[in-house]
Amino acid sequence: MSGGRPRTTIGTFGVIGLSVAPGGWTAATRVRDDDGRLRRVKATAPSKSAAMQRLKERIRDRPTQAASEYSVRTPFRDLVQAWLEENESRDLAPKTKQWYAEMVRNTVLPAFGDLTLGEITTRRVDALLRAQHRIGYPRARKTRMMLNLVFKFALRHDAIPRNPVDGASPLKAPKGTPQAFTWDQVQKIRDAAARHRTGEGVHGPKPDGVVRDFIEVLLGTALRPGEALALRRCDVVDRPRGMTLRVTGTIVPRKGQGWVRQDHPKTDASVREIAVPEFAAAVLRPRLVGLGEEDLVFHNRNGGAYSQHNLRRTFREYLELAGLEGSGISFRWYRRTGATVLARAVSVDAAAVFLGHTSTAITEGYYIQPDRTVDLTPAAALDRVLRPDAEDHTVLTRPLTDDEEALIDVIGDAVDGEE
């Protein structure tokens, strides 16, 4: 059975009909517009050829939605360039725009720069992501995010029927365990900071104590390094009941400008006000003296923002002096330590709010070191009841409570597992 005449493609017209009219010849056809409807268009002229020409001009000049300038035949490189140009007009942080451009140049274009949009299949995307994953999970995750952004731009312009990233294999994140400081490590680093570049035989300017005070503030506030460096005099309030600070920005690198203060932190949830423990407040108070309201608490010799690269270099010297080089310790450990202490001493919810997280899942999964303390209570109960000379057997002669039955089941499962 025939399926009937195929539909006219949107934006095109059907067969042109010609007929004699009082004024000459009439050419007519039906055009399928963007809304899917067929509309009749006609034109009259003295001759057949003139009528057809005038009809085509009317079709061309009819008001209609402009067709997309991109299609499956568009070179991927051209689409990426258009996407980057659109980003320049969007309300994005300069650091984000710079990161997009670098990711495209270093990862995406080398893989797909010589292909058209229609040639970039899910198989090709999957192969790229697998290759990136072998280098490292973070790199593959960022590549996937970048491709999604580019292909969503293509979808908005009707250039492709579907996003080829959607069918790619999921990326398996490596399992990691958040690490926090031990008390011994905290004290070793404090001691190293106090001894850094002191004593006989040390040449050059004496340490200004910025990095020493900076890590003490990180320890007491669990701020991100950029948030701590962005603190201004007006963000810190010292009252008789204690010091508080408000997180309102962060320090970011800007091309051609170095490190500058950005007037908002990483996320909306990161804007917060927290209390400062006294040991960190004691470090901050001397640094507030003589500052203007907008001055940075931690600033370089010119009053500008500190470079995180310079801070990390000095911190590595602390670790070497403390005998902790090669330990993997970084500034992030201070944030994890704060989260771990608050989770164990107060609650996970309190830790998430203090760190400026939108979800406790982030705090638990990436910042709180697991508590491996062994509960000794079960062993004491078993010893009291089941040792050879035990006298308290009442737990076995009376009806067991639900909790006791559950404990016995756990013990039985453990024994069965050993057998």
Side-chain angles (χ1 to χ4, degrees), residues 48 54 156 202 307 376:
K48 289 182 181 181
R54 185 171 296 178
R156 292 202 308 271
V202 176
S307 163
L376 301 179

Side-chain angles (χ1 to χ4, degrees), residues 28 64 344 397:
T64 181
R344 294 178 185 175
T397 57

